[in-house]
Amino acid sequence: MSRLFGAMATLIEVFREHAGKDGDASTLSKSEVKSLLTKEFGAKLDSAKDKGAVDEMFKALDANADGTVDFTEFVTMVAALTVMMQGS
Amino acid sequence: MSRLFGAMATLIEVFREHAGKDGDASTLSKSEVKSLLTKEFGAKLDSAKDKGAVDEMFKALDANADGTVDFTEFVTMVAALTVMMQGS
């Protein structure tokens, strides 16, 4: 499997792992977003433990404001973070 | 490094590896897009060798039509392909 394909598969794996924890396995609830942020970015993202910041992040992620974060919204966040990372 | 962070770093690595081949190292030329598609998706993307398909792909990627594909345009493509992969 190519590196790029592997990276794409990882995005799907990480999303499914957290989305499957409660309720609808195709979307992330707020608590699932918090557990994902803490596990995947905890060390780099102090705000992952700060409730207000998670609420803000969740609102920003939940583009269609339906109270959940679907895969497209998740990948859009990862893409935006990656562009910021590349630029820094 | 978390899996997600590793995947994001891979997107940057793959882009930089191909973008650095000729001219401006911060953008992908058409030939660099072709070499990236062939190397990373060759087996899965027969069209990577088909000139017409690469032209079409390049036009679709080059959102601002400046004749090159920058990192944001590249990540947008990867995000779109990942959403398609997740949905299939």
Side-chain angles (χ1 to χ4, degrees):
Chain A
M1 182 189 292
S2 78
R3 284 174 306 161
L4 195 54
F5 218 75
M8 292 161 68
T10 297
L11 299 188
I12 294 172
E13 256 169 61
V14 168
F15 178 85
R16 285 182 178 167
E17 181 185 304
H18 290 275
K21 284 184 176 161
D22 62 33
D24 180 348
S26 69
T27 60
L28 293 166
S29 63
K30 192 175 284 188
S31 66
E32 288 168 336
V33 165
K34 187 176 178 196
S35 82
L36 188 151
L37 290 177
T38 306
K39 184 172 175 198
E40 297 294 331
F41 297 111
K44 287 156 199 65
L45 203 69
D46 293 341
S47 57
K49 299 180 187 71
D50 160 359
K51 187 174 180 328
V54 171
D55 287 348
E56 280 304 312
M57 190 105 180
F58 189 82
K59 222 185 290 171
L61 283 173
D62 183 15
N64 61 3
D66 68 351
T68 62
V69 169
D70 63 26
F71 188 70
T72 302
E73 292 166 335
F74 167 73
V75 166
T76 303
M77 171 196 81
V78 173
L81 290 174
T82 309
V83 169
M84 280 162 58
M85 202 165 106
Q86 142 82 356
S88 60
Chain B
M1 182 188 292
S2 78
R3 282 175 306 162
L4 195 54
F5 216 74
M8 292 161 68
T10 296
L11 299 188
I12 294 172
E13 259 168 57
V14 169
F15 179 84
R16 285 183 179 167
E17 179 184 305
H18 290 274
K21 284 185 176 157
D22 63 34
D24 181 347
S26 69
T27 59
L28 293 166
S29 63
K30 193 175 282 187
S31 65
E32 288 168 336
V33 165
K34 188 177 176 198
S35 81
L36 187 152
L37 290 176
T38 305
K39 184 171 176 199
E40 297 293 332
F41 297 112
K44 287 156 201 63
L45 204 67
D46 291 342
S47 55
K49 300 178 185 75
D50 160 359
K51 185 169 181 337
V54 171
D55 287 349
E56 280 304 311
M57 190 104 179
F58 189 83
K59 223 184 292 172
L61 283 173
D62 183 14
N64 62 3
D66 67 351
T68 62
V69 169
D70 63 27
F71 186 70
T72 303
E73 291 165 336
F74 167 72
V75 167
T76 304
M77 171 196 81
V78 173
L81 289 174
T82 309
V83 169
M84 280 162 57
M85 205 166 103
Q86 141 82 357
S88 61

